[in-house]
Amino acid sequence: MEDSTADAFTVAHARTLVFGDFRSSIDAAVMALLDGDEALEVAELAGASPSLGWSEARALVRRAHSALGLDYRPMSDEDAQVIALRVMVMEHRSGARSLRELTSWAHDVIMHGSSRRAVERLVQLEDDLEVWQPRRDRVEVDAVLDAFLRETADAVARWRPAAIRP
């Protein structure tokens, strides 16, 4: 399995835990098929309807994960939230998400008290933008986002199966 495919499954799993939506898992399964994986379980997930019921969707995802040797059982809510937040920062950087959407989500979902300093600084950014420094310097904001991305750089890669870890 390609690193990018394993990473897509990890991000999809995190998004499912955080948002309750398994469409990213379908996309990851399609990616695995395009990479040459021929497991029936992966093909079933790739062909699944995004409107499946939660229990049926979860069973498809579990079977595909098992066929690919992926084990996410120890992924905590905090792990999943950090991965989802990394995706949202990248969406913001690409212009697909506003800074306000990003910081509001981080503040409302992750909340204050994270054990990771960069995560806490990003959560605090919402308070700064809302109350303390509404016109905060873009360079300062970018520094907070850069620090978050640096500190959480291994958030996705550490979930790769041992056979493909660097």
Side-chain angles (χ1 to χ4, degrees):
M1 173 183 342
E2 299 288 326
D3 289 354
S4 58
T5 302
D7 292 352
F9 270 97
T10 299
V11 168
H13 183 69
R15 289 179 60 87
T16 300
L17 290 175
V18 172
F19 300 113
D21 180 5
F22 84 104
R23 280 178 263 198
S24 296
S25 291
I26 294 171
D27 294 342
V30 170
M31 189 175 188
L33 293 176
L34 292 172
D35 283 346
D37 192 287
E38 296 179 1
L40 177 61
E41 298 86 351
V42 174
E44 287 175 341
L45 178 57
S49 168
S51 62
L52 275 179
W54 176 246
S55 61
E56 190 176 357
R58 191 170 62 192
L60 281 175
V61 170
R62 281 188 183 154
R63 287 195 304 267
H65 286 181
S66 179
L68 293 167
L70 303 172
D71 182 12
Y72 301 116
R73 280 177 281 206
M75 186 181 282
S76 68
D77 287 342
E78 182 181 17
D79 291 334
Q81 289 169 352
V82 166
I83 291 169
L85 187 54
R86 282 185 60 82
V87 170
M88 293 177 80
V89 168
M90 299 309 290
E91 289 172 348
H92 166 68
R93 290 264 167 99
S94 73
R97 184 175 300 277
S98 73
L99 180 60
R100 183 64 72 200
E101 288 174 303
L102 168 65
T103 60
S104 293
W105 184 86
H107 192 267
D108 294 347
V109 174
I110 296 177
M111 299 185 272
H112 290 285
S114 174
S115 60
R116 294 181 178 205
R117 185 171 181 258
V119 172
E120 181 60 30
R121 284 184 65 208
L122 207 154
V123 169
Q124 179 62 41
L125 193 56
E126 170 67 9
D127 292 335
D128 292 350
L129 293 170
E130 186 71 28
V131 178
W132 307 111
Q133 301 170 0
R135 297 189 194 281
R136 192 159 188 180
D137 182 15
R138 185 69 208 177
V139 173
E140 284 183 75
V141 170
D142 284 341
V144 170
L145 299 180
D146 290 343
F148 169 76
L149 291 173
R150 268 191 317 277
E151 184 179 308
T152 62
D154 71 335
V156 174
R158 73 185 193 90
W159 293 98
R160 289 181 190 148
I164 64 171
R165 278 190 205 136

